Amino acid sequence: MIYFVYADRAEKSILAPVIKIAKERKKNFREVDLSSVIDDLHLDQNLSKIYDYTFSQIEEDNVDYAVVIGDRREIMFACLAFFVKGVKI
């Protein structure tokens, strides 16, 4: 499975063409909008929730690859979970 991970609408629009191709090729993938799964994403106290959420989803969905976009600190916690679980980023 491939995970497409972003934290806001602007990042989603950048990934949209790649996600469209994945849909057309019927690839097994999931879009993860961190802002929709973590309340008050911008608060520093929620950064560990991003790691915990991503870590648990990796185990649940058997993720092979992650396509990640973003330059904000939130995305780094998702990447850390992918790294720890051995998912190719």
Side-chain angles (χ1 to χ4, degrees), residues 13-35:
S13 67
I14 294 169
L15 273 180
V18 179
I19 293 170
K20 180 182 175 189
I21 291 170
K23 284 180 186 175
E24 290 170 357
R25 295 183 181 179
K26 300 184 183 348
K27 295 293 182 185
N28 187 17
F29 72 92
R30 181 168 174 213
E31 285 183 65
V32 179
D33 179 357
L34 293 174
S35 66

Side-chain angles (χ1 to χ4, degrees), residues 35-62:
S35 66
S36 70
V37 296
I38 305 294
D39 293 331
D40 296 321
L41 182 65
H42 62 283
L43 298 177
D44 286 340
Q45 65 201 28
N46 290 332
L47 296 176
S48 66
K49 290 179 184 175
I50 295 166
Y51 176 86
D52 293 340
Y53 172 81
T54 306
F55 194 90
S56 67
Q57 292 302 304
I58 293 167
E59 289 183 334
E60 223 173 87
D61 290 340
N62 195 22

